[in-house]
Amino acid sequence: MAADEENTPPAHQTVPLAPLPDHRNVHTSWWQELWRRHAHITTPLRQRGLPCDIEFGLSAYIVRVPLLDDSYLIIGPPQEPVSDRPPGDPEGWIATREHPIDQSVFEVVYDSSPSDDPGAPQRPETRHGDSAEPLIAAIDHRLAQLGLLPSPELHTFEVTQDATVSFTLQARDLAEAHERVADLESTEVTTDTALDGGTRLTHITYGSVHDTNITAERNSGTTTVSTACGDALLKLTDQINGSTSHVQAAALLRQILDPDDGVLARLADSIEAAADKAKEAEEDDGFDLSHDLADAAAEVRSTGENLQTAEARMRTLISLAPSPRPQLSPSRTPPLPPRPLPTAPPRHTR
């Protein structure tokens, strides 16, 4: 399948990954295959906080994206004439914005499909063909104009550096909070510097961002460090689900199994730190809890050690060859069987 490299949205537009659709077909193999085939479209949109679903249109599968004003995007190949190309790999993409009631909302946001009229002038987008990157860029631009891109949710973090200064700042997640502190360190601070929430920074020590302790502000009620960690793990899970090869999946698996910096190694470190903290308690249960946590950390490390060959084994796997496609009948049966869909609002044909 022709898939562009992963699209990363502009930093100011990044929001937590939009959730998967909430219907029973999400757990079926045929829908998961459709989702995989369209991952180069759905993933960058979900990175922008836009939920997506896969539906069957007039003659081919489409991506449906509900928007904040109750309108929606329809992204797919031309529905007429019918194409024999597999789902997710069209000759070109058409993206329209439509509304279930207000038909005046209809607009073509992007169209890279080849023209069926030899005498008609070629649209500028046609040269991009099935490329996803210019499609996503056009959607970004139009939704930004309309104010329909979800706004990033900012969380408040408390920063303490080298025990010499403490202040708060706002960021989308823990990673961005570290980036903001790094930016401050790269700029000499000799006078008052305005921060978020009316705070002014008058002094900052120099050194590595790793010397900085950043935690969620207790009174903010907006986030916790565990939320940031959970979001990062959910993103990693989605990347593995959306990987297009076993080699790509193996590279992502390394982030979990790396013996020094992998998820399991860091998780074990955190559990061991909690075990040490439990020992400091006066109650007897602190001693018991410390042992329980230490045992759990050992199990996590053991799991990582037992799976050290998993990355190499994953890398050598070969994806199953696609099954032969049946000969199309005169009724133009689609490449994958369409599922029964709930009643959808009428859409303009193209």
Side-chain angles (χ1 to χ4, degrees):
M1 178 176 67
D4 292 337
E5 295 181 1
E6 180 177 339
N7 293 272
T8 302
H12 68 281
Q13 293 178 337
T14 302
V15 296
L17 201 64
L20 289 170
D22 184 18
H23 54 71
R24 62 183 181 181
N25 288 326
V26 170
H27 305 291
T28 62
S29 59
W30 67 266
W31 190 92
Q32 291 173 0
E33 173 65 12
L34 283 173
W35 186 259
R36 184 189 68 79
R37 288 171 180 255
H38 291 83
H40 55 304
I41 303 298
T42 59
T43 298
L45 292 175
R46 293 176 65 214
Q47 286 173 335
R48 289 154 173 77
L50 296 168
C52 303
D53 201 356
I54 307 294
E55 299 180 358
F56 190 73
L58 297 177
S59 63
Y61 287 94
I62 59 173
V63 177
R64 183 184 179 93
V65 184
L67 301 175
L68 299 174
D69 65 345
D70 295 329
S71 64
Y72 52 87
L73 296 176
I74 296 296
I75 306 168
Q79 301 293 300
E80 297 175 357
V82 179
S83 172
D84 290 338
R85 294 176 70 100
D89 184 23
E91 295 180 353
W93 294 100
I94 298 178
T96 60
R97 175 171 167 257
E98 308 177 24
H99 195 280
I101 300 175
D102 187 357
Q103 300 300 315
S104 66
V105 170
F106 178 84
E107 63 175 316
V108 177
V109 177
Y110 182 84
D111 186 355
S112 65
S113 62
S115 174
D116 54 4
D117 182 0
Q122 290 291 322
R123 292 178 295 274
E125 299 97 333
T126 304
R127 68 182 186 275
H128 298 305
D130 66 347
S131 179
E133 186 173 354
L135 165 67
I136 300 302
I139 292 174
D140 261 343
H141 178 71
R142 183 54 180 152
L143 295 188
Q145 286 181 328
L146 297 171
L148 295 178
L149 278 176
S151 301
E153 181 181 2
L154 297 179
H155 306 299
T156 302
F157 293 87
E158 183 179 273
V159 182
T160 302
Q161 187 172 53
D162 295 337
T164 62
V165 61
S166 179
F167 57 91
T168 61
L169 57 77
Q170 289 187 314
R172 294 186 300 272
D173 51 34
L174 187 60
E176 190 193 37
H178 278 282
E179 291 175 3
R180 291 202 59 191
V181 172
D183 289 341
L184 288 171
E185 290 175 336
S186 65
T187 304
E188 184 176 3
V189 180
T190 56
T191 59
D192 283 359
T193 300
L195 293 173
D196 304 302
T199 304
R200 303 196 68 82
L201 178 63
T202 59
H203 169 73
I204 187 168
T205 57
Y206 293 91
S208 169
V209 70
H210 298 294
D211 300 328
T212 304
N213 177 35
I214 302 179
T215 58
E217 188 179 44
R218 291 185 177 181
N219 296 329
S220 67
T222 58
T223 190
T224 63
V225 174
S226 62
T227 300
C229 294
D231 288 345
L233 289 176
L234 284 174
K235 183 176 181 179
L236 177 59
T237 300
D238 192 73
Q239 289 174 332
I240 294 174
N241 284 333
S243 59
T244 57
S245 69
H246 289 93
V247 173
Q248 185 181 7
L252 295 168
L253 188 59
R254 180 169 181 78
Q255 297 183 36
I256 300 174
L257 301 178
D258 187 283
D260 298 319
D261 298 313
V263 172
L264 292 182
R266 294 307 187 194
L267 176 61
D269 290 342
S270 298
I271 298 176
E272 287 175 349
D276 292 338
K277 179 59 64 175
K279 285 182 182 179
E280 300 174 5
E282 296 180 358
E283 296 86 352
D284 292 339
D285 188 51
F287 183 79
D288 295 336
L289 177 58
S290 174
H291 276 280
D292 291 340
L293 291 170
D295 289 343
E299 291 181 10
V300 172
R301 291 195 188 281
S302 177
T303 299
E305 292 168 0
N306 293 337
L307 292 175
Q308 280 306 296
T309 62
E311 178 192 352
R313 291 166 61 190
M314 176 72 78
R315 197 177 298 276
T316 60
L317 296 178
I318 300 175
S319 300
L320 290 174
S323 58
R325 295 176 57 200
Q327 186 69 28
L328 290 179
S329 66
S331 62
R332 294 289 188 176
T333 303
L336 291 174
R339 61 178 174 86
L341 297 176
T343 302
R347 294 190 292 274
H348 290 259
T349 59
R350 298 180 289 278

